[in-house]
Amino acid sequence: MIDPVSGEHVNDPPRNGPPSARLPLLSPASLGAEQQAVYEALTGGPRMDGDAAPAAGGDAPPGSRAKARALGFMDDEGRLLGPFNAMLYSPAVGMPLQDLGAALRFRTAFTKREREIATLVVAAHLRSDYEWYAHERLGRRAGLREDELDALREGRAPMLADARERLVHEAARQLVAENDLADAVYTEAVATLGRPALVELVTLVGYYAALATQLRVFRVGVPDGEPAPHWPEPAAGGRAPDE
């Protein structure tokens, strides 16, 4: 069946995508003007170069598609993967959502390691395959070691020498597990990070939890040919989040 808005075959599994995905991958040629604006914001912004500034006017710089493919959020046909495809379906939500994501990744007070520690805590707690896949790679680029990544994936506290990183980890862990912060952790976070950074951290955890929910609902997995993360078995009597 053809979607009257996008022109996509809505009942056909997307090519080069997970066969169970519920949202067909949108071709760049099928996008309307508002969708195209979201697409350009995603492919021409700082996500292409880590912490580099966005390209002038939001246009994708030369080679940006190759970088996007290497980073795992675009396929060979220019279609967006992960949570970004969903953003194209509703530009009214997708544009501010991608801008919030860019602000949280590139305009907060956190170091790259701190940001990725918090994000990976969310991905591991919710067992979000794509979110882990993408941010494990970013975590390595930020300097996270394999033993630290293994601990985060298994839900353990990594051996972190930096007091701020330990606090970011514990605060993120409490936020995803309890949707709250204990008084002692809150007080320490205010003293160590400051109130503005704590607002940013709470928002970051909520943002990536929202993306993980979208990824689950729309059955978005890792890109073709990439291994899914190996999650630990749930505790006896427990239930894995994706079950």
Side-chain angles (χ1 to χ4, degrees):
M1 185 178 80
I2 302 293
D3 186 314
V5 175
S6 69
E8 294 286 315
H9 292 264
V10 297
N11 289 331
D12 295 344
R15 292 170 295 162
N16 301 326
S20 59
R22 288 174 165 174
L23 285 179
L25 299 180
L26 295 177
S27 167
S30 74
L31 302 179
E34 292 182 340
Q35 292 173 313
Q36 186 65 37
V38 177
Y39 185 94
E40 290 179 0
L42 288 163
T43 60
R47 291 176 180 87
M48 292 298 96
D49 291 303
D51 290 305
D59 295 330
S64 66
R65 286 198 175 191
K67 292 178 183 177
R69 289 192 293 270
L71 291 169
F73 75 84
M74 180 186 288
D75 70 7
D76 290 339
E77 298 176 41
R79 299 174 302 180
L80 300 184
L81 307 176
F84 307 113
N85 180 58
M87 294 179 187
L88 299 176
Y89 274 83
S90 175
V93 173
M95 183 63 88
L97 190 61
Q98 72 80 27
D99 190 54
L100 174 60
L104 291 168
R105 280 193 59 194
F106 306 111
R107 303 197 292 271
T108 65
F110 297 109
T111 67
K112 295 178 185 179
R113 277 180 56 96
E114 290 166 351
R115 182 189 68 222
E116 295 308 322
I117 287 168
T119 305
L120 289 168
V121 166
V122 179
H125 183 80
L126 296 176
R127 299 196 172 194
S128 178
D129 286 358
Y130 181 89
E131 198 162 86
W132 180 271
Y133 157 80
H135 286 274
E136 180 185 44
R137 300 168 85 182
L138 292 171
R140 285 196 182 96
R141 291 174 62 186
L144 289 175
R145 303 187 309 270
E146 291 304 314
D147 63 297
E148 294 170 331
L149 290 167
D150 287 344
L152 290 168
R153 179 174 45 79
E154 295 167 7
R156 298 183 286 108
M159 299 294 292
L160 300 169
D162 184 82
R164 273 180 57 103
E165 290 182 358
R166 291 197 302 271
L167 181 57
V168 166
H169 172 268
E170 177 57 21
R173 186 200 65 78
Q174 284 196 14
L175 286 167
V176 294
E178 304 170 26
N179 294 311
D180 199 0
L181 289 179
D183 288 345
V185 173
Y186 179 86
T187 300
E188 186 179 359
V190 170
T192 304
L193 304 175
R195 287 186 175 89
L198 183 53
V199 169
E200 293 169 354
L201 179 60
V202 173
T203 306
L204 182 149
V205 169
Y207 170 79
Y208 283 106
L211 291 193
T213 300
Q214 283 193 353
L215 291 166
R216 180 183 301 171
V217 168
F218 299 128
R219 306 294 193 263
V220 179
V222 299
D224 261 6
E226 297 289 347
H230 177 70
W231 303 115
E233 292 294 327
R239 173 179 173 274
D242 282 340
E243 294 176 347

